[in-house]
Amino acid sequence: PNPQAYRRSIGKRLDDLYEKAVAALGRHDSLGKVSDLEKGLRLGQDLLRDVLPGSSDELAYLNLYAGALNARYEQLGDLSDLTGAINIMRKVAKRTEFEAPEWRPDSLNNLGIALTERWTRALNEADLEEGIASHEAAVGATSFDSADWASHVSNLGVALRARSPLTRSAEDVDRAIGLYEEILARIPSGSLDRADYFANLGSALFDRHSINASRDDLTRAISAYQTALELMPHEWRHRPGVQMALANAMARLHDRDGDAVDLDAAISAWRESCSEGRASSQVLQTAMNWSDAMVKRGDWASVVEASDFGLAAADRLFRVQLLREHKALWLEEANGLSARAAYALAKLGQLERAAVTLERGRAVLLSEALERDHADFEGLTALGHSHLRERYRSEEHTSELQS
């Protein structure tokens, strides 16, 4: 056999797999289909299995696979996927410093995004500070004429906004607003990315309104969200998140001015966000915001509608978590939602349904106990201790017979 021909054959096969993986993940990024995401993950695993360790190709495949894990976290909410992505991204960022400096800004940007997201869930300040430092380094290594400049700067703005609740200062938010305004001034008017940057500008303005209570910042935020939705194709997977943000801002404007039209617009946007949202974590957050606002107004039918969306999303999130601490984080996010829905049902005179809903939260906790072997005991097999797993199951079965 000709070794050179064999290497060329392997190289072509991996190139083909890589192109297919990139295409699948690109479709998922636009349309949010789980089938495309799972295809990209499978192809990424195949690439990493067959690539030469330590090669530049391995670096590219690691980066792709980490991005796919992060995308699955965004879709399904399993924090184990996010942690796995971060671990890979750290390795990639370290290797690019010497092996591929031209890839370093992108690798730092990706790491910063994942760390900032984990901060929003686990509230580990070390993640946030590392994330901001990664974004600062990415922006510092990216020239103004680079095609990646705008996205790197925008992601730095997201990380700075994430820190503002800690500092209770407008300094980080002011800087984020300035960054988004600079991006929008620089990028072409026909760029599809303008929708995302308007949405980010709206979020930064809303954050500053939360600090200074400025009506001008609030109305500017609403205008930015509305512009983002006008520019954003209806099928984009980020659209429900922008609808949620617009709803929150419209509800705040109603609280301030008392105009029922603003509240109706908020409810419509919340409902559309929950109905169209593919990411369970985003649906849960939207439902919680919506139901909380309706409780304050005594609109019990809307509380029930919102809570139904949220409880379904919380159940999906809970069931995909492998680690107990990750389950606990999502349970904390949904804390009180079943009780809120039960109270609203009782106010509507639906007492039987209220009792069932109240038990729903307890059932989730019970299911966690009954399904403890899902991670723990399968893990014993992976570690070569399958005999312990079988012994436990045998004793458990004996106990059930005796009872």
Side-chain angles (χ1 to χ4, degrees), residues 5 27 57 102 158 301:
R27 287 193 302 273
D57 284 342
E102 70 278 11
V158 172

Side-chain angles (χ1 to χ4, degrees), residues 177 180-181 184 196-206 220-221 224:
I177 290 170
Y180 296 137
E181 289 175 336
L184 288 166
D196 286 333
Y197 300 140
F198 269 111
N200 286 343
L201 174 60
S203 295
L205 288 164
F206 187 76
R220 286 181 63 198

Side-chain angles (χ1 to χ4, degrees), residues 39-60:
K39 180 178 181 180
L41 282 161
R42 286 195 304 273
L43 292 171
Q45 290 170 342
D46 291 343
L47 288 163
L48 290 172
R49 183 191 63 222
D50 295 340
V51 72
L52 181 66
S55 65
S56 59
D57 284 342
E58 183 190 40
L59 201 57

